Amino acid sequence: MPTFFFNLIHRGGVTLDPDGTTLPDEPAARRHAEVVARELMQNREAATRFWRLRVCNDERRLLFELPFVEIDPTLLHLPPHLREAMRDVVVGAASLGNAIHDVRFSIRQLRGTMARADGLPYLVALDGRTLPDRPAT
C-alpha cells in the first residue's frame, strides 16, 4: 500500500508530515485528509479557515490540496455563491502566500550563491532549522 504525506500549510508556514500514512489509494487519502482537517478545525473554524492540507505521494509529489474552507461547517448557512466566493478568496490568498514564499526562498538561494562565490560564510539555518536546497512541498 502507498504512503501519503499530509503537510499542513498555515499562516506560520509549513508543518511537514515526517512519517506519512499508509492508505490503499488516493480516494482513501482524500477521505483521511478531510478527517484530519475537521479535527484540526474543531471549535476554531474561523482561525483555521485559511489553512490547507497538501497531500503528497510517497515520492513527495503533490497529489492535491484540501483548503479547510471547503469543509468548514460554519459556512453551511451561507448561500452557495457566497461559499464559493469565500473559497475563491482563500485560494487566492494561498496563491499569493505561495508566491511570496517562493520569492523569499529564491532570494535566500541567491544570497547563498553570491556569498559562496565571494568565499564568504552564509546562513544555513533559519529559526533553528536547516535551510533546504528547494522549497518544501
Side-chain angles (χ1 to χ4, degrees):
M1 279 201 295
T3 300
F4 296 90
F5 294 87
F6 299 84
N7 302 316
L8 178 64
I9 314 299
H10 49 86
R11 290 188 177 166
V14 179
T15 302
L16 296 176
D17 177 356
D19 302 320
T21 302
T22 303
L23 296 164
D25 53 24
E26 189 172 330
R30 285 184 184 277
R31 289 188 300 275
H32 183 73
E34 287 185 16
V35 169
V36 169
R38 282 191 177 93
E39 287 176 5
L40 291 169
M41 291 178 76
Q42 195 167 20
N43 299 320
R44 55 186 181 155
E45 290 83 359
T48 60
R49 195 169 287 146
F50 282 83
W51 292 9
R52 58 198 194 282
L53 280 179
R54 184 175 287 168
V55 181
C56 300
N57 64 13
D58 52 4
E59 296 172 355
R60 298 278 186 168
R61 293 211 172 125
L62 178 65
L63 297 173
F64 64 90
E65 279 192 353
L66 175 65
F68 284 24
V69 70
E70 287 184 1
I71 59 169
D72 185 347
T74 64
L75 300 178
L76 292 176
H77 70 283
L78 297 174
H81 71 281
L82 289 180
R83 286 196 308 265
E84 185 64 28
M86 181 70 129
R87 184 194 182 288
D88 290 346
V89 166
V90 169
V91 169
S95 294
L96 178 60
N98 289 343
I100 290 169
H101 177 268
D102 291 346
V103 167
R104 287 179 176 159
F105 184 83
S106 295
I107 289 170
R108 283 190 208 116
Q109 280 186 316
L110 179 59
R111 287 180 179 160
T113 300
M114 292 171 61
R116 284 190 297 278
D118 292 337
L120 301 171
Y122 184 72
L123 180 70
V124 295
L126 185 64
D127 297 328
R129 292 183 289 192
T130 302
L131 292 176
D133 292 333
R134 57 185 167 72
T137 57

